Amino acid sequence: MAKNIGRALFKFFDERFLLSGLGAFAGKKTVPEHQHSFWYFFGGISLFLVGLQVATGLLLLLHYIPSIDGAHESIRVIMSQVKFGWLIRSVHSWSANILIGVLFVHMFSTFFLKAYRKPRELTWMTGFLLLVLFMAFGFSGYLLPWNELSYFATRVGTDIAGSLPLIGGWLKEVILGGPDISQATLSRFFWFHVAVLPVVALGVIGIHILLVQTLGMSKPIGVRETREIPFFPDFIYKDALGWILVLILIGVVCVLLPWEVGTKADPLAPTPLGIKPEWYFTFMFTTLKLIPAHVLSIEGEQLAILGFLAGGLFWFLVPFLDRRAAREKRSPAFTWIGLFVAAYIVVLTVITYTVPGL
Amino acid sequence: MRRRSFIDVFFGGSLLATAAAFLYPVLRYILPTKALASSQKSVTAAKVGELPPNAAKIFKFGAKPAVLVNTAEGRLIALAATCTHLTCTVRYEADSGTLFCPCHNGRFDLSGAVLSGPPPAPLETYGVLVAGEEIVVARKS
Amino acid sequence: MKRPTFASLFVIGFLGLPAAGLAQGNSCLDCHKELDGALQAAAVAFAQDVHGQFGLSCRDCHGGNPATDDVDKAKDKSFKGAPKRERIPEFCGGCHADAAKMRGFNPSLRVDQLDQYWTSRHGQRLKAGDAKVAVCTDCHGAHGVQTARFPKSMTFPWNIPQTCGRCHADKALMASYLLPAGQLEDYRASVHARALFDKKDLSAPACNDCHGNHGAYPPEVGSVSGVCRQCHPSAGELFAKSPHKKAFVEIEAGECGACHGNHKIEAPTNALIGSTAGSACIQCHEAGSKAWTTAAELRSLLEEFESGTASAEVALDAADRKGVEVSEARFKLQDVHTILVSAKNLTHGLDLAEIRKAIVDGENALAEVEAAGQKALAEARFRRRGLVVATICLALLAAALALKIRRLKEKRMAS
């Protein structure tokens, strides 16, 4: 009986959604298995963490108040009085940071395995776009609790945008919604964080996943192994196992180290010492601090910003620049470039937190 | 096939348990909490008309107490209520129109200045804004 | 041979001034800057002097003619040279005790310093012919005089203990007057010094706030309490109503000082009350007497309350460290703190009923905080238990998945 109803329901939806076609696709799809296939997990973990972000973000919206008088208080209420509010917010904040870290790992593993080569150029480019989008998520979300650290970090961050040549002043005002951080800024960041970015990001994620699904996983250059496992259920199960382990990790950090509320932002207070943006911006931030004021009569800070923009563009266009990989040949030059970039990011991030005065 | 069914039951059971472990906090989070209504807008010190002239009220400002005074002339004044001597909470004295710290008889006027007693520094004063029905207190800009 | 005094050096210096060719300006300063030692120091220090800032120069105190660069002409009839030590108060008082003269510079400045000085112990001894006592320049400097508002001035609040201590902490000098020399050291150990030096609280009392400045005189035993009441009026009022007031007057024990001491006034702790060593009560009350028992009871009341407050704070801190938000409870703890401080102050009045009532109020408030603290700790435990449960669920799920994955592999191998 139940089976019959189930079959009838399936038939009903199958006729409208072409479920059996999807099922056939999923049934046929395979994933290569070789010595490097461990790195495939990071894409799945990223997707899982994005889901966690959406879920906890939706829940936080229930109690968060996007006003400069109420924001900090509402976070305090979420952390102290709403049942399990501390958990939801800590999961949101912690998994957001873990997500950025996983995205970096995912990106660099893709880079070193040269998975961006033809025909997966667009997968790489949408992926890079997603990293930028999630960093924007981080930047806009950081201000929302309206605490001292986030307030001043936002000020420093937007000042950097403001020092861009030509459009700097205009850009800063557009970001802040006025000449300085105010209610307009909070409204804007809130709107950006919960409305604009999610829509854009979900769209790009859709394209990214569609590309991954239709093109399949890339096999690194020179890997002869031909073993493959079915995507469903084998690969999905393995992915899920990874997600569970990540969940356990998040649970432990959230219970033992709930995300702090901090002191409420006071625009008139002196800037606290050693103000830093979120850790994933520090490699750029510290570069700006370390670069000399003038490099060959060009302002150092502007040079660094332009350098990062150029570097970003290079990174974005790597699939088209790496001609050897496109022909399935090893391209050690790009491996070296990737190693340099990774080392640069790691070293500057580490010194930001270890060298006193940075 | 016995092993297969064991694994499936095991899998289904732990999946259900996990789902319950996740749904419980989410449900508790969504369901209304009693304590919420009271403490949300701590910067709203009082309602208009709540304070008769020459009376005052202690309210919570951030993590510290502050005092809102409606003077005999009907002026609204807000100050930090922690005495600068040994951080006791001061109270308004209607007779003299001053703020008085009971611990060591420190006395402040309504501009926060020390009138007598041991307090070494004046009380911080805040800005008062009447927004509709609510008296809102904010740090001075 | 007697060492030449400052004054005689001054005079000799003037006689031996080199006839440098100086056209105009202040020839006193021009020449003195070329000299050595104290003669040069006077001219250099004058650049910072408040008198100079008011447009006064050397001649306004010392006379002479600064317009000429001839030493002999400069030292004309009006030249007064440096005053002898015993003449210094009148030397300065020539202007500072003259309201008409002072009005031209700073009309609000008092002009009674000289009168006050003559009433001080320093002034009295100077009149009696003792030139070693402090005169104006000992506390204000001679040529680098700065107002008490200037943080580097010798009379700025946190420099005053050192200024007075230059003589009063000098054991040999004080011994010749049969005076103790430990006051500076005692003061440095006091709660007042901590406020002044560590908290930079300029309203905290330095030497002059209790002893006066120009009219410095050791306060009489009976008047010390008046001095303390300047800042601690409530303790004074309570004390005046207490049975101690009459008793202390009878035995001439003074008031505040009898329990709190004088220069080394430490932050009072509960140990000051009670029947054990370190208590002020046992100075007069015999063991076993009614007052002795009351003191012990008072001590235990306060201690119990204080330790309850402390342990509530510890509980809140612990919950805070475990990540539970406790700002609400901390806010309540502030009330308890208020009651504790005022209950301690009430001990000056010795009204046991009043003290008990304050402590009962406090304990009621404390119970709320303690409950909040326990609730927060329970919440922390609940979170950890919840984590264990959720982690077990997840671990089981992970194990089930791992089994499923293995079975899939086996099936694939088989086929």
Side-chain angles (χ1 to χ4, degrees), chain C residues 122 134 137-141 151-171 173-174 181-189 193 196-197 205-209 211 263:
Chain C
H122 295 137
T137 50
D138 292 303
C139 300
H140 293 282
K152 284 187 172 168
S153 152
M154 293 165 79
T155 49
F156 192 74
W158 63 55
N159 297 330
I160 283 179
Q162 195 49 47
T163 299
C164 300
R166 270 170 49 223
C167 295
H168 282 275
D170 181 337
K171 284 204 181 77
L173 183 62
M174 287 299 115
Q183 299 97 325
L184 179 62
E185 206 180 308
D186 282 352
Y187 174 76
R188 284 194 191 282
L196 182 62
F197 296 132
C207 316
N208 64 318
D209 290 296
H211 295 283
H263 298 106

Side-chain angles (χ1 to χ4, degrees), chain C residues 167-232:
Chain C
C167 295
H168 282 275
D170 181 337
K171 284 204 181 77
L173 183 62
M174 287 299 115
S176 65
Y177 292 99
L178 304 176
L179 286 175
Q183 299 97 325
L184 179 62
E185 206 180 308
D186 282 352
Y187 174 76
R188 284 194 191 282
S190 75
V191 66
H192 293 137
R194 195 136 39 89
L196 182 62
F197 296 132
D198 298 348
K199 291 192 195 163
K200 305 285 179 213
D201 176 356
L202 296 181
S203 66
C207 316
N208 64 318
D209 290 296
C210 298
H211 295 283
N213 32 37
H214 300 104
Y217 201 92
E220 305 275 332
V221 167
S223 65
V224 173
S225 57
V227 172
C228 304
R229 277 184 172 84
Q230 294 300 312
C231 298
H232 301 281

Side-chain angles (χ1 to χ4, degrees), chain A residues 79-248:
Chain A
M79 290 302 281
S80 62
Q81 287 169 25
V82 178
K83 300 277 176 225
F84 291 102
W86 60 274
L87 181 65
I88 306 285
R89 169 158 186 265
S90 297
V91 170
H92 194 73
S93 302
W94 270 114
S95 62
N97 280 278
I98 296 172
L99 170 60
I100 300 272
V102 170
L103 285 179
F104 269 103
V105 174
H106 182 46
M107 181 179 75
F108 276 103
S109 62
T110 312
F111 186 90
F112 289 124
L113 297 177
K114 311 284 159 58
Y116 51 71
R117 67 192 189 279
K118 194 185 167 193
R120 296 185 180 79
E121 299 95 333
L122 291 177
T123 320
W124 167 264
M125 288 162 88
T126 49
F128 179 76
L129 201 58
L130 282 172
L131 178 74
V132 173
L133 285 172
F134 278 99
M135 284 171 93
F137 261 121
F139 185 72
S140 56
Y142 195 46
L143 180 70
L144 300 186
W146 201 251
N147 62 33
E148 203 175 40
L149 280 180
S150 66
Y151 178 88
F152 286 103
T154 304
R155 208 179 223 182
V156 171
T158 50
D159 280 351
I160 290 171
S163 67
L164 274 174
L166 300 176
I167 55 159
W170 173 84
L171 184 65
K172 184 184 163 189
E173 197 150 327
V174 169
I175 296 174
L176 293 182
D180 211 337
I181 302 182
S182 62
Q183 174 63 54
T185 315
L186 185 61
S187 303
R188 200 160 270 253
F189 275 44
F190 177 67
W191 164 75
F192 205 58
H193 189 81
V194 308
V196 180
L197 281 173
V199 170
V200 176
L202 285 180
V204 180
I205 290 170
I207 299 172
H208 191 74
I209 292 175
L210 195 68
L211 286 168
V212 171
Q213 290 302 322
T214 49
L215 296 173
M217 306 297 200
S218 152
K219 210 155 64 169
I221 299 167
V223 169
R224 300 250 171 83
E225 184 86 59
T226 52
R227 204 146 48 86
E228 289 186 329
I229 58 168
F231 177 76
F232 188 85
D234 297 48
F235 188 76
I236 289 286
Y237 280 0
K238 282 189 169 178
D239 243 14
L241 196 56
W243 299 354
I244 292 169
L245 297 178
V246 171
L247 255 184
I248 291 176

Side-chain angles (χ1 to χ4, degrees), chain B residues 41-68:
Chain B
K41 280 196 174 178
S42 55
V43 284
T44 298
K47 292 257 180 296
V48 170
E50 182 187 325
L51 274 179
N54 205 15
K57 142 177 204 193
I58 299 275
F59 63 96
K60 192 183 163 200
F61 192 40
K64 294 216 167 110
V67 59
L68 178 73

Side-chain angles (χ1 to χ4, degrees), chain A residues 76 80 84 86 229-230 233-234 237-238 240-241 244 248 251-252 255-256 258, chain C residues 322-323 325 327-328 379 382-384 387 391 394 397-398 401 404-405 408 412:
Chain A
R76 193 171 281 286
S80 62
F84 291 102
W86 60 274
I229 58 168
D234 297 48
Y237 280 0
K238 282 189 169 178
L241 196 56
I244 292 169
I248 291 176
V252 170
V255 170
L256 299 184
Chain C
K322 289 182 175 169
E325 239 285 335
S327 60
E328 202 72 27
E379 166 77 13
F382 171 75
R383 289 183 186 181
R384 277 155 182 71
L387 175 68
T391 306
L394 283 169
L397 189 60
L401 257 179
K404 263 187 167 308
I405 290 167
L408 283 170
R412 227 181 17 254

Side-chain angles (χ1 to χ4, degrees), chain B residues 20-81:
Chain B
F22 276 78
L23 276 177
Y24 175 70
V26 170
L27 267 176
R28 290 299 301 270
Y29 177 87
I30 294 172
L31 294 174
T33 315
K34 248 186 232 158
L36 275 189
S38 61
S39 69
Q40 226 158 15
K41 280 196 174 178
S42 55
V43 284
T44 298
K47 292 257 180 296
V48 170
E50 182 187 325
L51 274 179
N54 205 15
K57 142 177 204 193
I58 299 275
F59 63 96
K60 192 183 163 200
F61 192 40
K64 294 216 167 110
V67 59
L68 178 73
V69 181
N70 188 7
T71 65
E73 300 85 51
R75 215 151 44 92
L76 288 169
I77 295 170
L79 303 102

